[in-house]
Amino acid sequence: MKIVALVRPAGEVPEAAQVLAAAAGMAPAEARMRLAPEPPALIARLAPEAADALVKTLRDAGLAALAIDESEVAERVTARTVTFGAAQATFTPRAGAPLSMAWEDVTVILRGASSLRTQSEHTEKTTKVALGTALITGGLKMTKTAEKSVRGSQEETSQVVFIFDRDGRGAVLPEMGFDFSCLGPAMQPSRTANMVTLARLVRERAPAAFYDERLMRLGRRPVPFVLGGAVQVVSGATSHSRINTAQGLDVLAEAIRLGVAQGDLP
């Protein structure tokens, strides 16, 4: 399957919505909804031939559309450490072979964030003395039971820096699990500050690369057509839901990478 995305604003939305609705066979209202988010916006998930045909139709209409092949994700290494050399960087994962990139080959640097939201709901029963009930029943029943729903929610945010080269290879520098001691004297006292430092150091060494941090906002939102991001479990009177936007963030990063590679960005 392929996911069709727009990497630039649709411009005149009513006209763009008409083109999308006609090409994808969707209602005009749904087409407008798909075009509404800030790009990169995921607008359809189709079989490869249908996705390619939709992309061609949208591009012929002047829209910056592209298709992300779910089965051909670019090679990426999730690094635990990075070595900043004069001519190249070496990204070393926790396990497996390291990835080296020449600074002159780095084309895209993205800073983003994903969100893990958990929500729970359960029913609590309480018993208390009820004088009215006691009077009515002649003392046979002295209490009454009340029920109420108790809801709780929690959100955790995690940053990441994506680095891609002209061959499509990628390094992922995650906030969680990264060994910031490799920064040496540049190491900061907090993970958040260290992520800012990582992005800055990479940008300084690859100044010609396209840099974007809109995924700091967009990556925390659930996106359509990305499977595996939401789980809900119900057990008796208790329900738990979990939404993780990390996979959606990965797809959005790939959309931006492809947009740069195809000349649609910046």
Side-chain angles (χ1 to χ4, degrees), residues 99-102 105-108 163-171 257:
L99 172 67
S100 294
M101 286 186 194
D105 291 335
V106 174
T107 56
V108 179
I163 304 165
F164 298 104
D165 69 6
R166 64 182 73 256
D167 293 326
R169 300 181 306 162
R257 183 193 73 81

Side-chain angles (χ1 to χ4, degrees), residues 6 16 29 31 35 57 72 77 85 89 137 153 163 169 177 196 201 217 219 223 260:
L6 290 185
L35 295 173
T57 299
E72 297 181 4
V77 168
T137 62
S153 62
I163 304 165
R169 300 181 306 162
V196 175
L201 292 176
R217 304 187 313 276
V223 294
V260 173

